[in-house]
């Protein structure tokens, strides 16, 4: 007796399993319903899915059975007519027919494949839904497109794309045409006349890289009809050709999973040239850049006030006119005419003839005098006309209305009575322009006078140089003499580091700068300029800006913006030279965030990704608002490799910022910067050097001791004691401490990317408890001296590991961090100290 429940349970389980395993292929008898047991069918890779989708945001119960890519429909059963209610069903019937029935059982659409031996239907990963008799294809959505063509889909002469009244047709000649109501061809692109071939069966196909090409047996090679603007770019991008409801044919690209698509090509550049876009009697024009639809005068009103594209209608029909009818004149307007068109007649008459001929012609509704030199006048006799108004059109048009004519209130066509005010306006414009010009000249000469009076030392040439080039944002090239002058002969030294000494200078335009005299650079002029270009193209709020450079003989100098508050170490660590100026918690946290953002930009966001290789408080400068700016990025590449040998032999005590991989024969990546940043972050919180050992840290390295305290939950022991308790936001401190432990993980792969670090600090991403950073040999104060020859090879390849294709570029590193050089340990590197 217990057997039956068990059995049914098993069945239930199996069927449950089966339902969810269903993908790609289905057998006859399958039905798709909104909220039914089968809500969708997905292709093998989940790229495409067949389901009911909502087609009208105002009415959620109107749906359509569609194949979609990340929510973008690419095929709709029944096309525009396939809109049904939510009780509808999409049936794969046992006879092999595919049907869409609405809630009352009415067949809205069918594939007409009944009794043709169809045994299976498959949604393929190309987006093609295929009905097969065993292995023979009986029917497919690729052969029955609605408004979209996917890559690998062939569009041939016997097929149509449709959207509303619009359609796309391929002709035997290879011409691709766009049509309205199947008759009026408003866009036509033929093969280049130099290609002289009688095609047999042309076929249009969109390649996945974004080329729309025409294939034919008679063509030696496919002819490209259109290139999408992003062709050949990107991965995981689906491109598709779609006839939009506005009558334009476009190529779109969509990144998988984004659900959004971007226009990459459009057949008709001028939307107003799409026949019927504004409906009957509608007038298309541009406001700014957007095409808009309007009516020609107050004699008309919108057919649907909620949708200007539905066209206009006369308020009083001509037949019902109590008085006489008249011709309303429209300047700079033409009624679209695509020849040969039966609905219009061509005459060779002047403007007034064009008007009169239409007025007296009973069937004529409107007329256009082209006024383009051809002398042509079109009389529109169809009951569907659409207009185009643009100041660039010479044409004058007339439309028959019941008198009196009521022009639109702000007439775009100025009549002769306006000439007086127009003349006046022109005068005002002339006067304003003249006054402005004179003012500018005066201002400029004033500036010149001011500059030259104040800086007699500087020649007119260099002043001009600085004014023009500095303003343009490109790096300015200075002569050595110029820099010598601006630094008063390299008098005022701001600091010295691994790359060379830094001096304060004042440029001709009175900008205060920091001039870095690079040492040990034996790179060629060209290579140096390339690196300078890379560095100066790297702009970020949290990066020190490179203003210019000098490359003359053996002299290599870099000119940076001057940072009033010097480097971060001055605000954290007590030195003998000067008492520490404490920063409050808010400032410190902002510096931590700013620094992280700057490094994120270097790693993940800029064009040529840069591994800094030397993140430490000395290289984090503070501007007048105490905003952090990372300096010295991109310099590691400049140093001559020969120099490493010399500096490396003297490595002694890595000062705690170098990631373990520097010493372990492993490649240096952006994760090495993350390690260094983690150490800096810990120092920002604690106000102590990370490698400090003292009785207060139980004679352990500070970073290791700090982790133990963190484990015990004693965050307040880690935080700088000099900060008052109520000042510190303990929640931020907790986040910062945890992030720093994640950053200083021994395994580079364990460390987060810099972008993630920013998010964790901001509290956007939750932070898991970090594992213990291992006690490694790095950073021990006793110091390890490295065998130079074995180490140099370690630094031969750097790879920036960031997301995106550009960041995968790896580069030959010619550099090594300046902190490795043993000499200037107390005042290492390049701090552009404060005045
Ligand atoms: C497809 O169906 C499965 C279960 O049948 C469901 O989990 C999934 O959300 C559906 N996908 C879509 C796009 O409706
Ligand atoms: C689909 O998945 C297979 C492996 O499962 C893969 O080789 C193929 O490239 C994928 N196709 C697409 C379009 O993603
Ligand atoms: C189904 O279609 C028929 C014919 O167009 C229509 O009369 C009927 O109202 C539709 N039923 C529903 C529920 O939409
Ligand atoms: C379908 O397949 C069956 C047997 O496999 C065959 O007899 C029949 O002719 C096929 N029908 C078509 C339309 O190919
Ligand atoms: C498209 O046409 C090409 C060549 O004419 C053919 O190899 C390919 O199978 C066709 N694709 C489809 C989906 O029918
Ligand atoms: C569309 O064309 C058909 C004939 O081809 C015609 O009867 C119909 O009036 C046209 N529609 C409009 C709105 O002109
Ligand atoms: C094909 O297009 C060209 C212009 O691109 C045109 O001159 C030619 O007449 C068209 N041929 C046909 C058959 O429409
Ligand atoms: C036609 O092809 C020739 C030579 O291939 C080329 O010079 C010309 O620009 C092409 N014309 C058009 C309209 O594409
Ligand atoms: C194409 O066909 C026409 C007539 O059918 C013929 O006169 C012409 O020479 C052919 N052109 C080519 C390139 O074969
Ligand atoms: C352009 O048209 C849009 C809507 O059609 C309107 O919101 C916008 O204000 C117009 N802009 C101008 C400059 O007229
Ligand atoms: C236009 O929209 C309003 C509100 O959305 C609606 O009340 C009105 O009936 C609509 N008018 C037409 C002609 O559809
Ligand atoms: C209507 O037109 C006729 C002839 O063109 C003219 O004699 C008559 O005065 C007009 N009537 C009105 C009300 O303008």
């Amino acid at each position: 007796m217990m057997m039956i429940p068990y059995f049914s349970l098993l069945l239930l389980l199996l069927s449950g399993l089966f339902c969810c395993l269903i993908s790609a292929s289905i057998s006859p008898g399958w039905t798709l319903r909104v909220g039914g047991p089968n809500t969708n069918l997905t292709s093998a890779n989940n790229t495409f899915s067949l389901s009911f989708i909502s087609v009208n945001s105002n009415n959620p119960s109107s749906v359509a059975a569609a194949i979609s890519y990340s929510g973008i429909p690419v095929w709709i059963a029944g096309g525009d007519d396939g809109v049904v209610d939510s009780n509808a069903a999409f049936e794969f019937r046992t006879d092999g027919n595919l049907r869409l029935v609405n809630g009352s059982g009415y067949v809205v659409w069918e594939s007409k494949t009944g009794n043709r031996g169809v045994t299976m239907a498959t949604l393929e990963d190309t987006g093609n839904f295929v009905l097969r008799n065993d292995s023979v294809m009986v029917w497919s959505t690729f052969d029955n497109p609605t408004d979209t063509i996917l890559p690998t889909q062939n569009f041939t002469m016997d097929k149509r794309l449709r959207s509303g009244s619009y359609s796309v047709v391929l002709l035997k000649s290879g011409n691709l045409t766009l049509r309205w109501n199947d008759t009026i061809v408003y866009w036509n692109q033929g093969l280049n006349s130099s290609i002289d071939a009688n095609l047999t069966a042309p076929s249009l196909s969109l390649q996945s890289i974004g080329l729309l090409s025409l294939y034919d047996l008679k063509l030696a090679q496919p002819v490209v009809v259109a290139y999408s603007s992003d062709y050949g770019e990107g991965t995981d991008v689906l491109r598709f050709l779609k006839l939009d409801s506005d009558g334009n044919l476009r190529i779109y690209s969509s990144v998988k999973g984004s659900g959004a698509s971007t226009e990459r090509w459009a057949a008709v550049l001028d939307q107003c040239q799409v026949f019927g876009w504004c409906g009957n009697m509608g007038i298309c024009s541009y406001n700014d850049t957007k095409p808009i639809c309007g009516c020609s005068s107050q004699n008309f009103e919108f057919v649907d006030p909620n949708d200007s594209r539905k066209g206009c209608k006369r308020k009083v029909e001509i037949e019902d006119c109590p008085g006489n009818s008249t011709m309303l004149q429209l300047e700079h307007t033409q009624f679209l005419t695509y020849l040969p068109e039966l609905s219009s007649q061509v005459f060779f008459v002047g403007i007034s003839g064009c008007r009169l001929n239409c007025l007296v012609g009973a069937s004529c509704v409107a007329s256009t005098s082209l006024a383009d030199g051809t002398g042509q006048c079109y009389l529109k006799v169809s009951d569907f006309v659409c207009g185009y108004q643009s100041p660039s059109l010479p044409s004058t048009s007339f439309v028959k209305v019941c008198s009196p004519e009521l022009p639109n209130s702000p007439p775009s066509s100025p009549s002769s009575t306006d000439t007086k005010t127009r003349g006046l306006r022109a005068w005002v414009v002339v006067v304003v322009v003249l006054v402005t010009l004179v003012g500018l000249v005066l201002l400029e000469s004033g500036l010149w006078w001011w500059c030259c009076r104040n800086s007699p030392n500087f020649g007119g040439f260099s002043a001009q140089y600085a004014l023009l080039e500095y303003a343009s944002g490109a790096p300015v090239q200075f002569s050595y003499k110029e820099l010598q002058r601006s630094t008063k002969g390299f008098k005022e030294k701001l600091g010295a580091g691994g790359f060379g000494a830094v001096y304060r200078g004042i440029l001709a335009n009175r900008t205060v700068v920091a001039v870095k005299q690079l040492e040990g650079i034996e790179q060629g002029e060209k290579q140096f300029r390339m690196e300078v270009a890379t560095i100066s193209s790297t702009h970020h709020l949290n990066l020190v800006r490179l203003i210019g450079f000098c490359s003359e003989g053996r002299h290599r100098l870099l000119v940076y913006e001057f940072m009033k508050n010097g480097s971060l170490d001055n605000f954290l660590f007590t030195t003998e030279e000067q008492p520490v100026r404490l920063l409050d918690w808010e400032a410190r946290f902002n510096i931590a965030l700013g620094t992280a953002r700057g490094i994120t930009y270097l790693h993940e966001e800029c064009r040529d990704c840069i591994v800094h290789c030397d993140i430490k408080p000395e290289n984090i400068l503070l501007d007048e608002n105490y905003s952090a700016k990372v300096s010295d990025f991109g310099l590691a590449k400049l140093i001559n490799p020969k120099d490493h040998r010399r500096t490396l032999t003297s490595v002694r005590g890595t000062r705690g910022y170098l990631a373990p991989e520097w010493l372990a024969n492993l490649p240096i990546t952006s994760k090495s910067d993350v390690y260094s940043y983690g150490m800096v972050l810990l120092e920002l919180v604690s106000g102590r050097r990370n490698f400090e050992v003292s009785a207060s840290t139980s004679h352990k390295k500070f970073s290791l001791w700090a982790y133990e305290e963190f484990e015990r939950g004693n965050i307040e022991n880690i935080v700088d004691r000099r900060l008052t308790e109520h000042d510190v936001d303990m929640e931020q401190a907790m986040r910062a401490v945890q992030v720093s432990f994640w950053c200083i993980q021994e395994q580079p792969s364990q460390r987060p990317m810099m972008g993630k670090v920013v998010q964790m600090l901001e509290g956007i991403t939750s932070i898991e408890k970090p594992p213990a950073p291992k006690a490694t040999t790095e950073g021990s104060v006793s110091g390890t001296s490295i065998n130079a020859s074995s180490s140099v090879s370690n630094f031969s390849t750097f790879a920036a590991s960031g997301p995106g294709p550009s960041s995968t570029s790896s580069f030959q590193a010619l550099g090594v961090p300046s902190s490795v050089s043993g000499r200037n340990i107390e005042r290492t590197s390049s701090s552009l100290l404060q005045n």
Side-chain angles (χ1 to χ4, degrees), residues 287-288 290 292:
N287 91 349
D288 298 333
K290 251 181 55 179
I292 52 167

Side-chain angles (χ1 to χ4, degrees), residues 62-80:
S62 71
V63 295
I67 296 174
S68 40
Y69 172 84
S70 308
I72 301 167
V74 295
W75 182 84
I76 290 179
D80 290 334

Side-chain angles (χ1 to χ4, degrees), residues 149-168:
I149 295 176
L150 292 170
T152 75
Q153 183 169 359
N154 293 329
F155 184 72
T156 49
M157 284 156 57
D158 53 339
K159 301 191 176 115
R160 295 273 183 285
L161 295 187
R162 282 192 190 283
S163 184
S165 312
Y166 299 105
S167 55
V168 176

Side-chain angles (χ1 to χ4, degrees), residues 155-375:
F155 184 72
T156 49
M157 284 156 57
D158 53 339
K159 301 191 176 115
R160 295 273 183 285
L161 295 187
R162 282 192 190 283
S163 184
S165 312
Y166 299 105
S167 55
V168 176
V169 180
L170 182 65
L171 305 180
K172 171 115 190 318
S173 60
N175 282 27
L176 187 64
T177 60
L178 293 183
R179 292 154 188 254
W180 177 84
N181 200 18
D182 281 329
T183 48
I184 294 176
V185 177
Y186 56 89
W187 186 80
N188 171 25
Q189 181 164 318
L191 294 181
N192 189 330
S193 54
S194 69
I195 301 169
D196 185 23
N198 288 341
L199 305 185
T200 52
S203 156
L204 192 74
S205 175
L206 179 68
Q207 297 175 41
S208 57
I209 59 164
L211 302 184
L212 182 65
S213 322
L214 191 75
Y215 295 80
D216 189 81
L217 286 176
K218 291 280 174 71
L219 290 173
Q221 65 205 39
V223 177
V224 177
V225 176
Y227 292 87
S228 77
S229 61
D230 67 339
Y231 79 94
E233 282 177 28
T235 52
D236 252 358
V237 175
L238 177 83
R239 297 192 176 80
F240 56 92
L241 180 74
K242 181 169 188 221
L243 176 62
D244 281 308
S245 59
D246 64 5
N248 214 334
L249 182 68
R250 297 187 175 91
I251 296 177
Y252 289 94
S253 59
S254 169
V255 175
K256 190 174 181 180
S258 69
S261 53
T262 312
E263 177 186 326
R264 300 300 186 180
W265 174 76
V268 187
L269 292 176
D270 183 349
Q271 184 62 39
C272 282
Q273 305 243 356
V274 172
F275 195 85
W277 186 68
C278 283
N280 193 14
M281 288 289 175
I283 306 281
C284 185
S285 62
Y286 284 89
N287 91 349
D288 298 333
T289 54
K290 251 181 55 179
I292 52 167
C293 294
C295 296
S296 36
S297 75
Q298 301 290 322
N299 303 74
F300 292 84
E301 63 190 2
F302 282 123
V303 170
D304 178 354
N306 294 340
D307 185 358
S308 61
R309 282 198 48 207
K310 293 252 167 73
C312 305
K313 61 171 193 268
R314 290 185 182 85
K315 287 175 180 164
V316 181
E317 290 301 330
I318 303 290
E319 304 88 74
D320 308 332
C321 207
N324 285 348
S325 55
T326 181
M327 296 306 282
L328 173 80
Q329 185 163 345
L330 303 165
E331 300 290 342
H332 303 288
T333 305
Q334 72 178 59
F335 286 98
L336 294 180
T337 303
Y338 293 101
L339 293 173
E341 193 193 309
L342 302 173
S343 56
S344 61
Q345 302 163 347
V346 189
F347 288 88
F348 291 88
V349 290
I351 288 185
S352 52
C354 203
R355 173 181 184 275
L356 264 179
N357 274 326
C358 190
L359 185 60
V360 299
S363 57
C364 183
V365 291
S367 65
T368 292
S369 174
L370 283 187
D372 61 352
T374 59

